[in-house]
Amino acid sequence: MMYRITSLLMLVSLSGCVLTENTRDAAFHLPALELQGGNSTVLVVGVLDERPYVVSGKKPAKYIGEFELSMGGPYDAFTNSKQPMANEFTDKLSGLLSKKFPKIKTVHLKLGLSKQGAVDKLLESGSSKVILITLKEWKSHTAIDTSLWFDAQLETFNAKKQLLSYKRTQGHDTFGGAALAGPITNAKRTLPHAFRQKMQALFSDSLVMASLTSNSAVPIAQRAVDDVTAPMPAEGELVVRQACTVELILYWKNSGIADQEILTRCNAVK
């Protein structure tokens, strides 16, 4: 009986080790994004960390979230490399995009840069198009299940710093886990693939892909020029709602206009 118990304990221990090793291999060899189309010109991409608790210094740039163990917690979780999370994400994007964009280049963006500063930094490479991904939120919590709170925004710009496309994804996801594996292994298994999933949602957007694959992509402001000749209504002014183009709505959102204000102007999308 003692032999059987000892053997069972050894099996459980070894299973945990194998799962951890397999998880490490899978986590750092993510499959390329599944995108329609591509481009052989040079593109530059960077990730800007705008998480408020990181920008304020309350949490370090390597912070990715929290995990709990059976003996307590939660404890802060950091990147494996102990490098800023935005830098690790930037490096992963090279592998995710290189199949469709073989000349993709990556640039690490310093914490605290403004959007303008980030675009300027990306354009220093001399590329005619750059991709800026801004993380407004990205935080995980792992016990057995892993939860992820995310808010990521993708913008593409040309060499004149004109906005070509805009896409944002945000929300809260919960992924299942294995009690045997433990929170650290569950996080290593889940979070890299969650990152790929969110990047797939951003890059597969039709307007984003059009801006990246076309050699003559038209800026959003120019595509919406017929609509933006009329200014946003002044406070208290009677508004006649109308159908608005997708480009115009994105243009207004990128300008910082509140969603509710846009809704007072648009009653449909054309």
Side-chain angles (χ1 to χ4, degrees):
M1 177 64 71
M2 182 61 68
Y3 173 77
R4 293 179 63 187
I5 294 175
T6 303
S7 299
L8 180 60
L9 290 174
M10 289 179 64
L11 177 61
V12 169
S13 177
L14 289 173
S15 298
C17 292
V18 170
L19 179 58
T20 301
E21 292 305 315
N22 288 342
T23 298
R24 286 173 182 166
D25 290 342
F28 291 100
H29 294 85
L30 297 174
L33 298 184
E34 299 172 5
L35 303 174
Q36 299 297 320
N39 200 318
S40 60
T41 59
V42 176
L43 294 174
V44 178
V45 62
V47 178
L48 182 63
D49 193 339
E50 282 192 350
R51 294 177 293 171
Y53 43 85
V54 173
V55 175
S56 68
K58 184 177 179 180
K59 297 291 185 182
K62 62 183 179 180
Y63 175 79
I64 62 173
E66 300 173 333
F67 67 94
E68 294 190 41
L69 300 174
S70 58
M71 68 284 293
Y75 305 98
D76 283 354
F78 306 110
T79 57
N80 285 334
S81 66
K82 301 301 184 286
Q83 297 299 310
M85 185 184 76
N87 290 359
E88 280 206 353
F89 283 3
T90 300
D91 295 340
K92 283 184 172 64
L93 280 170
S94 178
L96 294 179
L97 295 170
S98 59
K99 182 177 179 179
K100 295 293 186 178
F101 301 97
K103 294 185 179 180
I104 190 75
K105 294 183 178 180
T106 58
V107 172
H108 290 170
L109 299 174
K110 290 183 179 180
L111 184 66
L113 276 178
S114 64
K115 179 190 291 189
Q116 182 68 46
V119 174
D120 287 341
K121 181 66 177 177
L122 294 174
L123 286 172
E124 286 180 3
S125 64
S127 174
S128 60
K129 290 181 188 175
V130 298
I131 308 164
L132 175 63
I133 296 175
T134 304
L135 300 178
K136 299 178 179 296
E137 178 61 289
W138 195 280
K139 180 174 67 175
S140 63
H141 181 276
T142 302
I144 295 177
D145 292 340
T146 295
S147 291
L148 176 67
W149 290 263
F150 60 94
D151 186 350
Q153 172 181 295
L154 182 153
E155 296 167 291
T156 60
F157 297 87
N158 61 18
K160 296 180 180 179
K161 306 178 188 178
Q162 295 171 310
L163 181 68
L164 302 178
S165 64
Y166 170 98
K167 178 65 176 179
R168 187 174 182 179
T169 182
Q170 56 186 319
H172 171 216
D173 288 344
T174 298
F175 307 92
L180 178 63
I184 296 176
T185 298
N186 282 333
K188 287 181 178 179
R189 171 196 295 168
T190 302
L191 294 177
H193 294 280
F195 170 72
R196 180 190 179 277
Q197 181 187 71
K198 306 315 171 191
M199 294 303 103
Q200 177 72 40
L202 292 177
F203 280 93
S204 60
D205 177 77
S206 58
L207 289 177
V208 170
M209 284 303 296
S211 72
L212 296 177
T213 57
S214 172
N215 292 325
S216 56
V218 180
I220 283 179
Q222 185 175 334
R223 295 201 301 269
V225 67
D226 292 337
D227 290 319
V228 298
T229 52
M232 289 296 292
E235 186 175 355
E237 180 182 343
L238 181 63
V239 178
V240 178
R241 299 174 73 199
Q242 60 182 6
C244 300
T245 63
V246 172
E247 289 84 359
L248 175 60
I249 294 171
L250 292 175
Y251 177 74
W252 278 341
K253 285 181 69 68
N254 188 68
S255 300
I257 297 172
D259 290 352
Q260 190 58 44
E261 191 172 356
I262 295 175
L263 289 173
T264 63
R265 186 71 170 177
C266 305
N267 62 1
V269 177
K270 63 181 178 180

